[in-house]
Amino acid sequence: MSSNESNATQEISKCLGCKAHGNLGRRYECIVCGESVTYCGDCYDGGKNVPNDKHKYYHPMKAIYNQDFFELYFLGEEMVNGEAPQSYKCAFCDELGFTAEELQLHVLEKHSGHSDAPQLLDILEQMKEQQKATEIRCQEKSRGGLSYEVILAEPAPNVAVPKRPVTPGKNVSAEEIEQKLKAAEERRISLEARKMAEISIKLAKVEEATRKKDEITNEFITQTKEQLESKMENHVEKREAIISDMKEKLKIHAQEIEKTRETLEQQKANEQKAIEEKLKTAQALRDENIKKMLNRLKEHNTIKIAEIKTQNNQLENQKLEEKARIIENKLYTAEQNREKELLKKIEKAQQLERRAEVVRQNKAQTQDMDGQQQSPIASSG
């Protein structure tokens, strides 16, 4: 079988998720549905693996690479049974990184109660049987080329082999039959011996592989332990060195802090002293200013009092003058009023005098008239 026929070099395909076809480079093909359900690597990574009536969501998808992609993804790694290494995802919990057998055990242990678990287990069992039925051995003969040797499975022991029909017209003697049976028995014994030898060889290979695996595992454990111990020692040394360095740095930092504290205390004391001196100077200046202000106030008060007294005297004088003027005005007005009253009284007295004169005159006239009247009367008597 040539390399172009292997699953690592097949190129003619069509993606269901996009219009890509031909050389997809890296593609994923359903193990159950075959080439009818194929997705390119980008569509499969993008979650376009859509189930339908035939293609179920739990169907395992096999990764297939061409030669360029195989070298890109598996540089330096050999094919397993002529195929690229496969890694399956659990359809029930989306956990990654299973081989077919590991996925079967995982489903049995954690998802045996799922409704679709039996169908997936049947598919995995068929994959297992198919893998046992055909063994493909691959060996790199030259750079850039691979050769394959296909070994079919051994025939089932219970399958009946069809017998050749006896040639008609030929007489077979009992000796010939006995010889043929004897030869058949010898062939059967030889075949069984060969099978037992092959089984022994396979068992020896399995034991040798197990022994090598154990040796490799033990060696890996030993090397890993030594590496871990070495790393731990280096880590402890580095840790101690870091701790020592940190302690030294902290010590230096503490000394710097102490120096800074002393410097700050000295600065604080100097500033306190300077502040006290400034306060004393300010107190002296304040006392002097207060004295000056008091003196100024005294002088100001003396001058002000004199001015106020002068102003008061002037005001008193003005008030007295005003009062005198008012009194004079009042006296003048009273004098005028008195004179007017006197004139009025004089006029009234003159009027009364005139009235009295008139009355006297009238009275005198009246008396004269009465005297004249009495004298004739007397003379007649």
mmCIF file with all atom_site columns, all heavy atoms in Angstrom, residues 116-140:
data_model
loop_
_atom_site.group_PDB
_atom_site.id
_atom_site.type_symbol
_atom_site.label_atom_id
_atom_site.label_alt_id
_atom_site.label_comp_id
_atom_site.label_asym_id
_atom_site.label_entity_id
_atom_site.label_seq_id
_atom_site.pdbx_PDB_ins_code
_atom_site.Cartn_x
_atom_site.Cartn_y
_atom_site.Cartn_z
_atom_site.occupancy
_atom_site.B_iso_or_equiv
_atom_site.pdbx_formal_charge
_atom_site.auth_seq_id
_atom_site.auth_comp_id
_atom_site.auth_asym_id
_atom_site.auth_atom_id
_atom_site.pdbx_PDB_model_num
ATOM 1   N N   . ASP A 1 116 ? -27.217 7.767  25.487 1.00 0.00 ? 116 ASP A N   1
ATOM 2   C CA  . ASP A 1 116 ? -26.489 7.472  24.254 1.00 0.00 ? 116 ASP A CA  1
ATOM 3   C C   . ASP A 1 116 ? -25.181 6.740  24.504 1.00 0.00 ? 116 ASP A C   1
ATOM 4   O O   . ASP A 1 116 ? -24.420 6.497  23.557 1.00 0.00 ? 116 ASP A O   1
ATOM 5   C CB  . ASP A 1 116 ? -26.202 8.773  23.506 1.00 0.00 ? 116 ASP A CB  1
ATOM 6   C CG  . ASP A 1 116 ? -27.476 9.455  23.030 1.00 0.00 ? 116 ASP A CG  1
ATOM 7   O OD1 . ASP A 1 116 ? -28.432 8.721  22.706 1.00 0.00 ? 116 ASP A OD1 1
ATOM 8   O OD2 . ASP A 1 116 ? -27.510 10.698 22.983 1.00 0.00 ? 116 ASP A OD2 1
ATOM 9   N N   . ALA A 1 117 ? -24.880 6.399  25.771 1.00 0.00 ? 117 ALA A N   1
ATOM 10  C CA  . ALA A 1 117 ? -23.618 5.730  26.080 1.00 0.00 ? 117 ALA A CA  1
ATOM 11  C C   . ALA A 1 117 ? -23.511 4.350  25.417 1.00 0.00 ? 117 ALA A C   1
ATOM 12  O O   . ALA A 1 117 ? -22.446 4.007  24.885 1.00 0.00 ? 117 ALA A O   1
ATOM 13  C CB  . ALA A 1 117 ? -23.439 5.618  27.590 1.00 0.00 ? 117 ALA A CB  1
ATOM 14  N N   . PRO A 1 118 ? -24.578 3.509  25.380 1.00 0.00 ? 118 PRO A N   1
ATOM 15  C CA  . PRO A 1 118 ? -24.435 2.186  24.741 1.00 0.00 ? 118 PRO A CA  1
ATOM 16  C C   . PRO A 1 118 ? -24.060 2.279  23.268 1.00 0.00 ? 118 PRO A C   1
ATOM 17  O O   . PRO A 1 118 ? -23.228 1.502  22.778 1.00 0.00 ? 118 PRO A O   1
ATOM 18  C CB  . PRO A 1 118 ? -25.816 1.550  24.937 1.00 0.00 ? 118 PRO A CB  1
ATOM 19  C CG  . PRO A 1 118 ? -26.381 2.235  26.132 1.00 0.00 ? 118 PRO A CG  1
ATOM 20  C CD  . PRO A 1 118 ? -25.880 3.626  26.064 1.00 0.00 ? 118 PRO A CD  1
ATOM 21  N N   . GLN A 1 119 ? -24.653 3.224  22.528 1.00 0.00 ? 119 GLN A N   1
ATOM 22  C CA  . GLN A 1 119 ? -24.326 3.363  21.106 1.00 0.00 ? 119 GLN A CA  1
ATOM 23  C C   . GLN A 1 119 ? -22.861 3.747  20.923 1.00 0.00 ? 119 GLN A C   1
ATOM 24  O O   . GLN A 1 119 ? -22.159 3.189  20.065 1.00 0.00 ? 119 GLN A O   1
ATOM 25  C CB  . GLN A 1 119 ? -25.225 4.418  20.441 1.00 0.00 ? 119 GLN A CB  1
ATOM 26  C CG  . GLN A 1 119 ? -26.682 4.000  20.297 1.00 0.00 ? 119 GLN A CG  1
ATOM 27  C CD  . GLN A 1 119 ? -27.492 4.236  21.549 1.00 0.00 ? 119 GLN A CD  1
ATOM 28  O OE1 . GLN A 1 119 ? -26.918 4.482  22.608 1.00 0.00 ? 119 GLN A OE1 1
ATOM 29  N NE2 . GLN A 1 119 ? -28.801 4.131  21.457 1.00 0.00 ? 119 GLN A NE2 1
ATOM 30  N N   . LEU A 1 120 ? -22.379 4.698  21.753 1.00 0.00 ? 120 LEU A N   1
ATOM 31  C CA  . LEU A 1 120 ? -20.978 5.095  21.637 1.00 0.00 ? 120 LEU A CA  1
ATOM 32  C C   . LEU A 1 120 ? -20.044 3.950  22.026 1.00 0.00 ? 120 LEU A C   1
ATOM 33  O O   . LEU A 1 120 ? -19.003 3.730  21.375 1.00 0.00 ? 120 LEU A O   1
ATOM 34  C CB  . LEU A 1 120 ? -20.715 6.312  22.521 1.00 0.00 ? 120 LEU A CB  1
ATOM 35  C CG  . LEU A 1 120 ? -19.279 6.843  22.535 1.00 0.00 ? 120 LEU A CG  1
ATOM 36  C CD1 . LEU A 1 120 ? -18.811 7.198  21.134 1.00 0.00 ? 120 LEU A CD1 1
ATOM 37  C CD2 . LEU A 1 120 ? -19.152 8.057  23.458 1.00 0.00 ? 120 LEU A CD2 1
ATOM 38  N N   . LEU A 1 121 ? -20.406 3.185  23.051 1.00 0.00 ? 121 LEU A N   1
ATOM 39  C CA  . LEU A 1 121 ? -19.568 2.038  23.444 1.00 0.00 ? 121 LEU A CA  1
ATOM 40  C C   . LEU A 1 121 ? -19.534 0.979  22.345 1.00 0.00 ? 121 LEU A C   1
ATOM 41  O O   . LEU A 1 121 ? -18.483 0.355  22.100 1.00 0.00 ? 121 LEU A O   1
ATOM 42  C CB  . LEU A 1 121 ? -20.095 1.441  24.751 1.00 0.00 ? 121 LEU A CB  1
ATOM 43  C CG  . LEU A 1 121 ? -19.897 2.309  26.001 1.00 0.00 ? 121 LEU A CG  1
ATOM 44  C CD1 . LEU A 1 121 ? -20.605 1.690  27.186 1.00 0.00 ? 121 LEU A CD1 1
ATOM 45  C CD2 . LEU A 1 121 ? -18.414 2.472  26.305 1.00 0.00 ? 121 LEU A CD2 1
ATOM 46  N N   . ASP A 1 122 ? -20.670 0.768  21.646 1.00 0.00 ? 122 ASP A N   1
ATOM 47  C CA  . ASP A 1 122 ? -20.680 -0.183 20.519 1.00 0.00 ? 122 ASP A CA  1
ATOM 48  C C   . ASP A 1 122 ? -19.737 0.284  19.419 1.00 0.00 ? 122 ASP A C   1
ATOM 49  O O   . ASP A 1 122 ? -18.990 -0.527 18.826 1.00 0.00 ? 122 ASP A O   1
ATOM 50  C CB  . ASP A 1 122 ? -22.101 -0.324 19.975 1.00 0.00 ? 122 ASP A CB  1
ATOM 51  C CG  . ASP A 1 122 ? -23.017 -1.046 20.963 1.00 0.00 ? 122 ASP A CG  1
ATOM 52  O OD1 . ASP A 1 122 ? -22.478 -1.753 21.854 1.00 0.00 ? 122 ASP A OD1 1
ATOM 53  O OD2 . ASP A 1 122 ? -24.248 -0.909 20.857 1.00 0.00 ? 122 ASP A OD2 1
ATOM 54  N N   . ILE A 1 123 ? -19.759 1.576  19.130 1.00 0.00 ? 123 ILE A N   1
ATOM 55  C CA  . ILE A 1 123 ? -18.879 2.107  18.085 1.00 0.00 ? 123 ILE A CA  1
ATOM 56  C C   . ILE A 1 123 ? -17.421 1.938  18.484 1.00 0.00 ? 123 ILE A C   1
ATOM 57  O O   . ILE A 1 123 ? -16.585 1.495  17.670 1.00 0.00 ? 123 ILE A O   1
ATOM 58  C CB  . ILE A 1 123 ? -19.205 3.590  17.830 1.00 0.00 ? 123 ILE A CB  1
ATOM 59  C CG1 . ILE A 1 123 ? -20.599 3.743  17.234 1.00 0.00 ? 123 ILE A CG1 1
ATOM 60  C CG2 . ILE A 1 123 ? -18.176 4.220  16.899 1.00 0.00 ? 123 ILE A CG2 1
ATOM 61  C CD1 . ILE A 1 123 ? -21.092 5.182  17.191 1.00 0.00 ? 123 ILE A CD1 1
ATOM 62  N N   . LEU A 1 124 ? -17.100 2.227  19.752 1.00 0.00 ? 124 LEU A N   1
ATOM 63  C CA  . LEU A 1 124 ? -15.719 2.074  20.221 1.00 0.00 ? 124 LEU A CA  1
ATOM 64  C C   . LEU A 1 124 ? -15.289 0.612  20.215 1.00 0.00 ? 124 LEU A C   1
ATOM 65  O O   . LEU A 1 124 ? -14.138 0.293  19.905 1.00 0.00 ? 124 LEU A O   1
ATOM 66  C CB  . LEU A 1 124 ? -15.585 2.678  21.618 1.00 0.00 ? 124 LEU A CB  1
ATOM 67  C CG  . LEU A 1 124 ? -15.788 4.191  21.721 1.00 0.00 ? 124 LEU A CG  1
ATOM 68  C CD1 . LEU A 1 124 ? -15.794 4.635  23.180 1.00 0.00 ? 124 LEU A CD1 1
ATOM 69  C CD2 . LEU A 1 124 ? -14.692 4.934  20.965 1.00 0.00 ? 124 LEU A CD2 1
ATOM 70  N N   . GLU A 1 125 ? -16.224 -0.282 20.533 1.00 0.00 ? 125 GLU A N   1
ATOM 71  C CA  . GLU A 1 125 ? -15.900 -1.717 20.498 1.00 0.00 ? 125 GLU A CA  1
ATOM 72  C C   . GLU A 1 125 ? -15.631 -2.181 19.077 1.00 0.00 ? 125 GLU A C   1
ATOM 73  O O   . GLU A 1 125 ? -14.701 -2.966 18.821 1.00 0.00 ? 125 GLU A O   1
ATOM 74  C CB  . GLU A 1 125 ? -17.063 -2.507 21.121 1.00 0.00 ? 125 GLU A CB  1
ATOM 75  C CG  . GLU A 1 125 ? -16.773 -3.977 21.325 1.00 0.00 ? 125 GLU A CG  1
ATOM 76  C CD  . GLU A 1 125 ? -15.660 -4.239 22.333 1.00 0.00 ? 125 GLU A CD  1
ATOM 77  O OE1 . GLU A 1 125 ? -15.492 -3.402 23.243 1.00 0.00 ? 125 GLU A OE1 1
ATOM 78  O OE2 . GLU A 1 125 ? -14.969 -5.263 22.198 1.00 0.00 ? 125 GLU A OE2 1
ATOM 79  N N   . GLN A 1 126 ? -16.432 -1.705 18.121 1.00 0.00 ? 126 GLN A N   1
ATOM 80  C CA  . GLN A 1 126 ? -16.194 -2.046 16.715 1.00 0.00 ? 126 GLN A CA  1
ATOM 81  C C   . GLN A 1 126 ? -14.844 -1.506 16.251 1.00 0.00 ? 126 GLN A C   1
ATOM 82  O O   . GLN A 1 126 ? -14.126 -2.183 15.505 1.00 0.00 ? 126 GLN A O   1
ATOM 83  C CB  . GLN A 1 126 ? -17.319 -1.475 15.848 1.00 0.00 ? 126 GLN A CB  1
ATOM 84  C CG  . GLN A 1 126 ? -18.668 -2.156 16.065 1.00 0.00 ? 126 GLN A CG  1
ATOM 85  C CD  . GLN A 1 126 ? -19.778 -1.481 15.282 1.00 0.00 ? 126 GLN A CD  1
ATOM 86  O OE1 . GLN A 1 126 ? -19.527 -0.609 14.461 1.00 0.00 ? 126 GLN A OE1 1
ATOM 87  N NE2 . GLN A 1 126 ? -21.022 -1.900 15.545 1.00 0.00 ? 126 GLN A NE2 1
ATOM 88  N N   . MET A 1 127 ? -14.522 -0.280 16.682 1.00 0.00 ? 127 MET A N   1
ATOM 89  C CA  . MET A 1 127 ? -13.202 0.264  16.343 1.00 0.00 ? 127 MET A CA  1
ATOM 90  C C   . MET A 1 127 ? -12.090 -0.606 16.905 1.00 0.00 ? 127 MET A C   1
ATOM 91  O O   . MET A 1 127 ? -11.068 -0.860 16.240 1.00 0.00 ? 127 MET A O   1
ATOM 92  C CB  . MET A 1 127 ? -13.081 1.691  16.891 1.00 0.00 ? 127 MET A CB  1
ATOM 93  C CG  . MET A 1 127 ? -13.940 2.714  16.200 1.00 0.00 ? 127 MET A CG  1
ATOM 94  S SD  . MET A 1 127 ? -13.973 4.311  17.067 1.00 0.00 ? 127 MET A SD  1
ATOM 95  C CE  . MET A 1 127 ? -12.238 4.744  17.032 1.00 0.00 ? 127 MET A CE  1
ATOM 96  N N   . LYS A 1 128 ? -12.292 -1.100 18.122 1.00 0.00 ? 128 LYS A N   1
ATOM 97  C CA  . LYS A 1 128 ? -11.283 -1.952 18.754 1.00 0.00 ? 128 LYS A CA  1
ATOM 98  C C   . LYS A 1 128 ? -11.128 -3.268 18.008 1.00 0.00 ? 128 LYS A C   1
ATOM 99  O O   . LYS A 1 128 ? -10.004 -3.728 17.753 1.00 0.00 ? 128 LYS A O   1
ATOM 100 C CB  . LYS A 1 128 ? -11.689 -2.182 20.198 1.00 0.00 ? 128 LYS A CB  1
ATOM 101 C CG  . LYS A 1 128 ? -10.650 -2.888 21.039 1.00 0.00 ? 128 LYS A CG  1
ATOM 102 C CD  . LYS A 1 128 ? -11.135 -2.973 22.487 1.00 0.00 ? 128 LYS A CD  1
ATOM 103 C CE  . LYS A 1 128 ? -10.109 -3.702 23.342 1.00 0.00 ? 128 LYS A CE  1
ATOM 104 N NZ  . LYS A 1 128 ? -10.567 -3.817 24.746 1.00 0.00 ? 128 LYS A NZ  1
ATOM 105 N N   . GLU A 1 129 ? -12.254 -3.868 17.651 1.00 0.00 ? 129 GLU A N   1
ATOM 106 C CA  . GLU A 1 129 ? -12.200 -5.140 16.903 1.00 0.00 ? 129 GLU A CA  1
ATOM 107 C C   . GLU A 1 129 ? -11.556 -4.944 15.537 1.00 0.00 ? 129 GLU A C   1
ATOM 108 O O   . GLU A 1 129 ? -10.773 -5.769 15.085 1.00 0.00 ? 129 GLU A O   1
ATOM 109 C CB  . GLU A 1 129 ? -13.615 -5.713 16.745 1.00 0.00 ? 129 GLU A CB  1
ATOM 110 C CG  . GLU A 1 129 ? -14.260 -6.158 18.053 1.00 0.00 ? 129 GLU A CG  1
ATOM 111 C CD  . GLU A 1 129 ? -13.506 -7.310 18.697 1.00 0.00 ? 129 GLU A CD  1
ATOM 112 O OE1 . GLU A 1 129 ? -12.881 -8.095 17.957 1.00 0.00 ? 129 GLU A OE1 1
ATOM 113 O OE2 . GLU A 1 129 ? -13.535 -7.425 19.929 1.00 0.00 ? 129 GLU A OE2 1
ATOM 114 N N   . GLN A 1 130 ? -11.898 -3.843 14.877 1.00 0.00 ? 130 GLN A N   1
ATOM 115 C CA  . GLN A 1 130 ? -11.319 -3.569 13.565 1.00 0.00 ? 130 GLN A CA  1
ATOM 116 C C   . GLN A 1 130 ? -9.828  -3.355 13.657 1.00 0.00 ? 130 GLN A C   1
ATOM 117 O O   . GLN A 1 130 ? -9.066  -3.787 12.786 1.00 0.00 ? 130 GLN A O   1
ATOM 118 C CB  . GLN A 1 130 ? -12.006 -2.346 12.949 1.00 0.00 ? 130 GLN A CB  1
ATOM 119 C CG  . GLN A 1 130 ? -11.564 -2.056 11.532 1.00 0.00 ? 130 GLN A CG  1
ATOM 120 C CD  . GLN A 1 130 ? -12.300 -0.863 10.936 1.00 0.00 ? 130 GLN A CD  1
ATOM 121 O OE1 . GLN A 1 130 ? -13.108 -0.247 11.623 1.00 0.00 ? 130 GLN A OE1 1
ATOM 122 N NE2 . GLN A 1 130 ? -12.016 -0.561 9.685  1.00 0.00 ? 130 GLN A NE2 1
ATOM 123 N N   . GLN A 1 131 ? -9.404  -2.713 14.738 1.00 0.00 ? 131 GLN A N   1
ATOM 124 C CA  . GLN A 1 131 ? -7.973  -2.489 14.919 1.00 0.00 ? 131 GLN A CA  1
ATOM 125 C C   . GLN A 1 131 ? -7.241  -3.805 15.170 1.00 0.00 ? 131 GLN A C   1
ATOM 126 O O   . GLN A 1 131 ? -6.120  -3.998 14.730 1.00 0.00 ? 131 GLN A O   1
ATOM 127 C CB  . GLN A 1 131 ? -7.754  -1.521 16.083 1.00 0.00 ? 131 GLN A CB  1
ATOM 128 C CG  . GLN A 1 131 ? -6.305  -1.096 16.241 1.00 0.00 ? 131 GLN A CG  1
ATOM 129 C CD  . GLN A 1 131 ? -6.141  -0.075 17.349 1.00 0.00 ? 131 GLN A CD  1
ATOM 130 O OE1 . GLN A 1 131 ? -7.104  0.255  18.028 1.00 0.00 ? 131 GLN A OE1 1
ATOM 131 N NE2 . GLN A 1 131 ? -4.935  0.406  17.525 1.00 0.00 ? 131 GLN A NE2 1
ATOM 132 N N   . LYS A 1 132 ? -7.907  -4.734 15.883 1.00 0.00 ? 132 LYS A N   1
ATOM 133 C CA  . LYS A 1 132 ? -7.295  -6.045 16.123 1.00 0.00 ? 132 LYS A CA  1
ATOM 134 C C   . LYS A 1 132 ? -7.289  -6.890 14.859 1.00 0.00 ? 132 LYS A C   1
ATOM 135 O O   . LYS A 1 132 ? -6.405  -7.699 14.639 1.00 0.00 ? 132 LYS A O   1
ATOM 136 C CB  . LYS A 1 132 ? -8.071  -6.783 17.216 1.00 0.00 ? 132 LYS A CB  1
ATOM 137 C CG  . LYS A 1 132 ? -7.848  -6.217 18.596 1.00 0.00 ? 132 LYS A CG  1
ATOM 138 C CD  . LYS A 1 132 ? -8.623  -7.036 19.621 1.00 0.00 ? 132 LYS A CD  1
ATOM 139 C CE  . LYS A 1 132 ? -8.397  -6.503 21.037 1.00 0.00 ? 132 LYS A CE  1
ATOM 140 N NZ  . LYS A 1 132 ? -9.167  -7.275 22.033 1.00 0.00 ? 132 LYS A NZ  1
ATOM 141 N N   . ALA A 1 133 ? -8.331  -6.722 14.000 1.00 0.00 ? 133 ALA A N   1
ATOM 142 C CA  . ALA A 1 133 ? -8.459  -7.568 12.810 1.00 0.00 ? 133 ALA A CA  1
ATOM 143 C C   . ALA A 1 133 ? -7.345  -7.312 11.816 1.00 0.00 ? 133 ALA A C   1
ATOM 144 O O   . ALA A 1 133 ? -6.899  -8.222 11.120 1.00 0.00 ? 133 ALA A O   1
ATOM 145 C CB  . ALA A 1 133 ? -9.807  -7.326 12.140 1.00 0.00 ? 133 ALA A CB  1
ATOM 146 N N   . THR A 1 134 ? -6.911  -6.069 11.696 1.00 0.00 ? 134 THR A N   1
ATOM 147 C CA  . THR A 1 134 ? -5.884  -5.739 10.709 1.00 0.00 ? 134 THR A CA  1
ATOM 148 C C   . THR A 1 134 ? -4.778  -4.983 11.395 1.00 0.00 ? 134 THR A C   1
ATOM 149 O O   . THR A 1 134 ? -5.023  -3.997 12.065 1.00 0.00 ? 134 THR A O   1
ATOM 150 C CB  . THR A 1 134 ? -6.475  -4.876 9.579  1.00 0.00 ? 134 THR A CB  1
ATOM 151 O OG1 . THR A 1 134 ? -7.570  -5.567 9.007  1.00 0.00 ? 134 THR A OG1 1
ATOM 152 C CG2 . THR A 1 134 ? -5.413  -4.588 8.523  1.00 0.00 ? 134 THR A CG2 1
ATOM 153 N N   . GLU A 1 135 ? -3.573  -5.428 11.218 1.00 0.00 ? 135 GLU A N   1
ATOM 154 C CA  . GLU A 1 135 ? -2.404  -4.765 11.778 1.00 0.00 ? 135 GLU A CA  1
ATOM 155 C C   . GLU A 1 135 ? -1.554  -4.253 10.637 1.00 0.00 ? 135 GLU A C   1
ATOM 156 O O   . GLU A 1 135 ? -1.204  -5.001 9.721  1.00 0.00 ? 135 GLU A O   1
ATOM 157 C CB  . GLU A 1 135 ? -1.593  -5.724 12.641 1.00 0.00 ? 135 GLU A CB  1
ATOM 158 C CG  . GLU A 1 135 ? -0.367  -5.066 13.260 1.00 0.00 ? 135 GLU A CG  1
ATOM 159 C CD  . GLU A 1 135 ? 0.467   -6.066 14.040 1.00 0.00 ? 135 GLU A CD  1
ATOM 160 O OE1 . GLU A 1 135 ? 0.073   -7.246 14.090 1.00 0.00 ? 135 GLU A OE1 1
ATOM 161 O OE2 . GLU A 1 135 ? 1.514   -5.658 14.554 1.00 0.00 ? 135 GLU A OE2 1
ATOM 162 N N   . ILE A 1 136 ? -1.277  -2.985 10.662 1.00 0.00 ? 136 ILE A N   1
ATOM 163 C CA  . ILE A 1 136 ? -0.460  -2.379 9.618  1.00 0.00 ? 136 ILE A CA  1
ATOM 164 C C   . ILE A 1 136 ? 0.846   -1.950 10.246 1.00 0.00 ? 136 ILE A C   1
ATOM 165 O O   . ILE A 1 136 ? 0.855   -1.170 11.203 1.00 0.00 ? 136 ILE A O   1
ATOM 166 C CB  . ILE A 1 136 ? -1.175  -1.178 8.983  1.00 0.00 ? 136 ILE A CB  1
ATOM 167 C CG1 . ILE A 1 136 ? -2.509  -1.613 8.402  1.00 0.00 ? 136 ILE A CG1 1
ATOM 168 C CG2 . ILE A 1 136 ? -0.316  -0.518 7.920  1.00 0.00 ? 136 ILE A CG2 1
ATOM 169 C CD1 . ILE A 1 136 ? -3.317  -0.486 7.843  1.00 0.00 ? 136 ILE A CD1 1
ATOM 170 N N   . ARG A 1 137 ? 1.878   -2.460 9.716  1.00 0.00 ? 137 ARG A N   1
ATOM 171 C CA  . ARG A 1 137 ? 3.199   -2.105 10.223 1.00 0.00 ? 137 ARG A CA  1
ATOM 172 C C   . ARG A 1 137 ? 3.850   -1.148 9.244  1.00 0.00 ? 137 ARG A C   1
ATOM 173 O O   . ARG A 1 137 ? 3.860   -1.370 8.044  1.00 0.00 ? 137 ARG A O   1
ATOM 174 C CB  . ARG A 1 137 ? 4.071   -3.351 10.392 1.00 0.00 ? 137 ARG A CB  1
ATOM 175 C CG  . ARG A 1 137 ? 3.559   -4.271 11.492 1.00 0.00 ? 137 ARG A CG  1
ATOM 176 C CD  . ARG A 1 137 ? 4.420   -5.498 11.620 1.00 0.00 ? 137 ARG A CD  1
ATOM 177 N NE  . ARG A 1 137 ? 3.874   -6.401 12.623 1.00 0.00 ? 137 ARG A NE  1
ATOM 178 C CZ  . ARG A 1 137 ? 4.394   -7.604 12.874 1.00 0.00 ? 137 ARG A CZ  1
ATOM 179 N NH1 . ARG A 1 137 ? 5.447   -8.034 12.196 1.00 0.00 ? 137 ARG A NH1 1
ATOM 180 N NH2 . ARG A 1 137 ? 3.863   -8.363 13.797 1.00 0.00 ? 137 ARG A NH2 1
ATOM 181 N N   . CYS A 1 138 ? 4.403   -0.089 9.770  1.00 0.00 ? 138 CYS A N   1
ATOM 182 C CA  . CYS A 1 138 ? 4.985   0.952  8.937  1.00 0.00 ? 138 CYS A CA  1
ATOM 183 C C   . CYS A 1 138 ? 6.461   1.082  9.283  1.00 0.00 ? 138 CYS A C   1
ATOM 184 O O   . CYS A 1 138 ? 6.837   1.028  10.445 1.00 0.00 ? 138 CYS A O   1
ATOM 185 C CB  . CYS A 1 138 ? 4.243   2.284  9.182  1.00 0.00 ? 138 CYS A CB  1
ATOM 186 S SG  . CYS A 1 138 ? 5.056   3.690  8.416  1.00 0.00 ? 138 CYS A SG  1
ATOM 187 N N   . GLN A 1 139 ? 7.261   1.218  8.253  1.00 0.00 ? 139 GLN A N   1
ATOM 188 C CA  . GLN A 1 139 ? 8.685   1.394  8.465  1.00 0.00 ? 139 GLN A CA  1
ATOM 189 C C   . GLN A 1 139 ? 9.198   2.375  7.427  1.00 0.00 ? 139 GLN A C   1
ATOM 190 O O   . GLN A 1 139 ? 8.865   2.280  6.246  1.00 0.00 ? 139 GLN A O   1
ATOM 191 C CB  . GLN A 1 139 ? 9.429   0.054  8.333  1.00 0.00 ? 139 GLN A CB  1
ATOM 192 C CG  . GLN A 1 139 ? 10.925  0.186  8.630  1.00 0.00 ? 139 GLN A CG  1
ATOM 193 C CD  . GLN A 1 139 ? 11.626  -1.142 8.530  1.00 0.00 ? 139 GLN A CD  1
ATOM 194 O OE1 . GLN A 1 139 ? 10.983  -2.141 8.182  1.00 0.00 ? 139 GLN A OE1 1
ATOM 195 N NE2 . GLN A 1 139 ? 12.903  -1.171 8.807  1.00 0.00 ? 139 GLN A NE2 1
ATOM 196 N N   . GLU A 1 140 ? 9.965   3.360  7.860  1.00 0.00 ? 140 GLU A N   1
ATOM 197 C CA  . GLU A 1 140 ? 10.510  4.355  6.945  1.00 0.00 ? 140 GLU A CA  1
ATOM 198 C C   . GLU A 1 140 ? 11.758  3.796  6.289  1.00 0.00 ? 140 GLU A C   1
ATOM 199 O O   . GLU A 1 140 ? 12.764  3.537  6.938  1.00 0.00 ? 140 GLU A O   1
ATOM 200 C CB  . GLU A 1 140 ? 10.840  5.638  7.714  1.00 0.00 ? 140 GLU A CB  1
ATOM 201 C CG  . GLU A 1 140 ? 11.298  6.758  6.798  1.00 0.00 ? 140 GLU A CG  1
ATOM 202 C CD  . GLU A 1 140 ? 11.521  8.047  7.553  1.00 0.00 ? 140 GLU A CD  1
ATOM 203 O OE1 . GLU A 1 140 ? 11.247  8.061  8.767  1.00 0.00 ? 140 GLU A OE1 1
ATOM 204 O OE2 . GLU A 1 140 ? 11.966  9.023  6.929  1.00 0.00 ? 140 GLU A OE2 1
#
